[in-house]
């Protein structure tokens, strides 16, 4: 058990160092700080994301926990993020999607990071989208095709 705790701490230390390299002033915000509403960028337009509920949050939290456990047990360093992280789609900066969870092996990340946008251009190795009652079937189909 101690070995597992030490491995988790080592991975979290690396994640913390990686995050410290990011200049947050250059962060691309897809959140409304006043209302807390979250958006995705579609063809240059901000599109509100569907509202979620407690069950959605619980499924997302369990998913992120399982991704972290996989990372630790397999000794695979990875950047694991929740739905606050966006990724550029279609090779341009007019489209950014926010999966419920994403997993990117460190080996696929840029060697140096000057801003959060450096991460946004790297497609995740695994994304998780949790279906909520507020999600429309055509919206989820479009997201699936884009990923």
């Amino acid at each position: 058990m101690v070995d597992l705790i030490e491995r988790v701490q080592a991975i979290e230390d690396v994640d913390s160092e990686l995050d410290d390299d990011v200049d947050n002033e250059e962060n691309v915000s897809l959140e409304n700080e006043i209302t807390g509403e979250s958006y995705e960028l579609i063809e240059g337009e901000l599109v509100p994301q569907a509202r979620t509920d407690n069950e959605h949050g619980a499924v997302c939290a369990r998913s992120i926990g399982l991704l972290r456990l996989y990372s630790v047990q397999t000794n695979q360093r990875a950047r694991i993020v929740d739905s606050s992280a966006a990724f550029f789609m279609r090779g341009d900066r007019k489209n950014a999607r926010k999966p419920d969870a994403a997993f990117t092996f460190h080996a696929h990340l840029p060697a140096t990071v000057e801003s959060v946008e450096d991460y946004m251009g790297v497609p995740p190795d695994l994304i998780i989208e949790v279906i909520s009652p507020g999600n429309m079937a055509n919206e989820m189909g479009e997201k699936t095709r884009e990923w």
Side-chain angles (χ1 to χ4, degrees):
M1 183 66 164
V2 172
D3 183 50
L4 182 60
I5 292 170
E6 289 173 355
R7 287 171 58 194
V8 168
Q9 184 59 49
I11 289 172
E12 287 176 351
D13 289 346
V14 169
D15 284 349
S16 178
E17 289 171 19
L18 200 55
D19 290 339
D20 288 345
D21 292 339
V22 175
D23 179 359
N24 287 324
E25 290 180 16
E26 295 183 32
N27 190 4
V28 174
S29 179
L30 294 177
E31 307 288 327
N32 183 319
E33 292 179 16
I34 296 170
T35 65
E37 201 165 20
S38 182
Y39 299 88
E40 290 183 315
L41 188 62
I42 310 298
E43 297 299 326
E45 299 291 325
L46 289 176
V47 177
Q49 287 189 288
R51 295 260 180 213
T52 59
D53 58 15
N54 287 341
E55 185 61 23
H56 180 274
V59 171
C60 291
R62 282 192 301 270
S63 299
I64 290 170
L66 290 170
L67 291 173
R68 172 65 74 184
L69 183 63
Y70 169 80
S71 176
V72 169
Q73 288 183 339
T74 62
N75 213 20
Q76 296 284 330
R77 290 180 40 212
R79 182 168 174 81
I80 302 168
V81 297
D82 66 8
S83 62
S84 61
F87 296 89
F88 289 124
M89 308 295 292
R90 304 182 198 163
D92 62 39
R93 295 181 180 270
K94 293 182 355 186
N95 295 283
R97 293 284 193 178
K98 298 168 75 175
D100 291 317
F103 178 100
T104 309
F105 289 107
H106 273 220
H108 298 159
L109 295 171
T112 59
V113 177
E114 295 182 20
S115 79
V116 140
E117 289 189 30
D118 291 339
Y119 290 127
M120 293 176 70
V122 177
D125 293 296
L126 173 76
I127 64 112
I128 295 174
E129 287 284 357
V130 177
I131 306 297
S132 297
N135 291 121
M136 304 297 285
N138 61 339
E139 169 195 355
M140 296 311 293
E142 183 179 324
K143 277 187 175 187
T144 301
R145 284 187 295 279
E146 284 186 24
W147 286 115

